[in-house]
Amino acid sequence: SSPIEIVRGVGGRPTGQALAYFEDAVEAIRAKDALHKRPWCVMGTDVYRVEILEDFRGRTLVTDEDTPGDVTEEKLRDAARKSMIGNTYRDREQMKQMKYRQY
């Protein structure tokens, strides 16, 4: 099978979606970071963007660390992503703006 599979609908017509298979999880993560929400083409006033979804659990890859307390850019990005899940980030921003709690 090929590394890219075009999803087809009724009558064998393409749906505009495709599946891409990667050998390496790191390669898949880099591809998503580079392409997600990037403009693909413009037709008139419409801008079509690439939307990439991950089908594996989490982005954390377990590797040996030199020192457990090292701060790396990936750890900071993971912490930022976790804070943006749900309304956690929005709640923190609103708490900063409030002078006292309402309840």
Side-chain angles (χ1 to χ4, degrees), residues 51-103:
E51 184 175 352
I52 300 175
L53 306 174
E54 299 172 348
D55 70 343
F56 52 87
R57 292 181 52 170
R59 295 182 64 113
T60 305
L61 300 175
V62 179
T63 58
D64 292 335
E65 294 183 6
D66 293 336
T67 308
D70 284 349
V71 177
T72 61
E73 186 177 353
E74 262 320 295
K75 286 183 183 179
L76 294 174
R77 285 186 186 186
D78 288 340
R81 286 184 187 108
K82 284 180 184 177
S83 73
M84 291 180 191
I85 294 174
N87 289 330
T88 307
Y89 179 75
R90 210 174 296 147
D91 290 343
R92 286 184 189 156
E93 289 298 314
Q94 288 177 354
M95 288 294 286
K96 289 178 187 176
Q97 294 175 356
M98 288 182 6
K99 295 190 188 277
Y100 57 91
R101 293 188 181 195
Q102 299 292 325
Y103 52 92

Side-chain angles (χ1 to χ4, degrees), residues 1-6 19-23:
S1 102
S2 98
I4 297 175
E5 178 183 335
I6 296 175
L19 302 173
Y21 301 99
F22 292 92
E23 295 286 330

Side-chain angles (χ1 to χ4, degrees), residues 5-71:
E5 178 183 335
I6 296 175
V7 179
R8 301 199 178 269
V10 179
R13 296 184 63 190
T15 63
Q17 299 174 343
L19 302 173
Y21 301 99
F22 292 92
E23 295 286 330
D24 187 10
V26 174
E27 184 182 0
I29 290 171
R30 285 187 187 139
K32 183 188 189 246
D33 290 342
L35 296 174
H36 188 62
K37 295 292 183 184
R38 300 252 338 245
W40 187 257
C41 72
V42 178
M43 298 180 97
T45 58
D46 296 330
V47 176
Y48 295 93
R49 297 182 182 276
V50 176
E51 184 175 352
I52 300 175
L53 306 174
E54 299 172 348
D55 70 343
F56 52 87
R57 292 181 52 170
R59 295 182 64 113
T60 305
L61 300 175
V62 179
T63 58
D64 292 335
E65 294 183 6
D66 293 336
T67 308
D70 284 349
V71 177

